[in-house]
């Protein structure tokens, strides 16, 4: 009976069902069930990975058909980078700006000087172009634990 009123039933399961049934999201329960590896559950190779790079790269390639392999790498590195001197608030603001406006990547064309171009990771104009995924209880190992 105590399990009938657990956080998993009242919050996680209800929210997951809403996202899946009403909005069409994919929902994954990862805790102690995730298979690590590039072809694993979430494409993570380690519990230290916090960005789902497999889905991130798919979004970059789908929403930016012009993007090259080096630009994909550049975008991913820029998104994952942060300064240790920045506050958590500043880091979150920087990431939110990249999500909202796109990530600057270098555009090099023959006979022209290098410029920057925005690589989108979310299509705000056509939400159906996006893959929405909710992960319940994703295990993350950090420096402290």
């Amino acid at each position: 009976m105590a399990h009938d009123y657990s956080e998993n039933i009242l919050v996680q399961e209800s929210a997951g069902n809403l996202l899946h049934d009403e909005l069409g999201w994919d929902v994954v329960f990862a805790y102690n069930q995730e298979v690590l590896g590039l072809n694993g559950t979430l494409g993570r190779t380690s519990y230290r990975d916090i960005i789902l790079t497999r889905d991130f790269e798919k979004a970059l390639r789908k929403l930016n058909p012009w993007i090259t392999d080096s630009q994909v790498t550049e975008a991913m590195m820029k998104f994952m980078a942060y300064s240790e001197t920045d506050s958590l608030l500043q880091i979150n603001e920087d990431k939110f700006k990249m999500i909202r406006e796109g990530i600057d990547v270098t555009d090099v064309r023959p006979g022209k000087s290098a410029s920057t171009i925005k690589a989108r990771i979310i299509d705000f104009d056509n939400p159906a172009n996006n893959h929405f995924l909710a992960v319940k209880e994703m295990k993350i190992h950090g420096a402290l634990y």
Side-chain angles (χ1 to χ4, degrees):
M1 179 151 176
H3 295 289
D4 293 342
Y5 299 102
S6 69
E7 178 184 352
N8 182 47
I9 298 297
L10 294 175
V11 179
Q12 292 183 28
E13 196 67 25
S14 298
N17 289 341
L18 176 73
L19 291 171
H20 180 267
D21 299 342
E22 299 298 324
L23 300 177
W25 288 37
D26 288 333
V27 179
V28 174
F29 181 79
Y31 189 76
N32 288 338
Q33 295 181 16
E34 178 182 6
V35 175
L36 293 176
L38 296 177
N39 295 317
T41 309
L42 301 171
R44 299 192 308 159
T45 57
S46 164
Y47 291 126
R48 293 187 173 278
D49 298 342
I50 58 171
I51 306 269
L52 303 182
T53 55
R54 180 177 64 194
D55 292 335
F56 191 84
E57 181 177 347
K58 282 182 187 176
L60 281 169
R61 292 191 184 281
K62 180 178 181 180
L63 300 176
N64 308 284
W66 48 264
I67 203 163
T68 65
D69 291 344
S70 64
Q71 289 169 325
V72 166
T73 301
E74 181 183 0
M76 292 175 73
M77 296 304 291
K78 283 184 177 181
F79 192 78
M80 290 188 277
Y82 64 92
S83 172
E84 292 182 8
T85 59
D86 286 345
S87 69
L88 185 57
L89 177 64
Q90 182 60 47
I91 293 168
N92 284 335
E93 287 176 346
D94 292 343
K95 302 309 173 197
F96 178 68
K97 183 177 179 184
M98 288 184 210
I99 291 168
R100 188 182 66 237
E101 298 175 9
I103 303 169
D104 286 333
V105 293
T106 307
D107 185 28
V108 180
R109 296 175 191 245
K112 295 185 178 183
S113 59
S115 61
T116 59
I117 188 168
K118 297 279 188 191
R120 297 181 309 151
I121 53 176
I122 295 180
D123 188 343
F124 290 101
D125 297 325
N126 187 359
N129 279 337
N130 300 305
H131 173 234
F132 294 100
L133 171 67
V135 181
K136 298 189 290 182
E137 299 197 26
M138 184 171 88
K139 187 187 299 187
I140 298 174
H141 291 178
L144 298 177
Y145 52 88

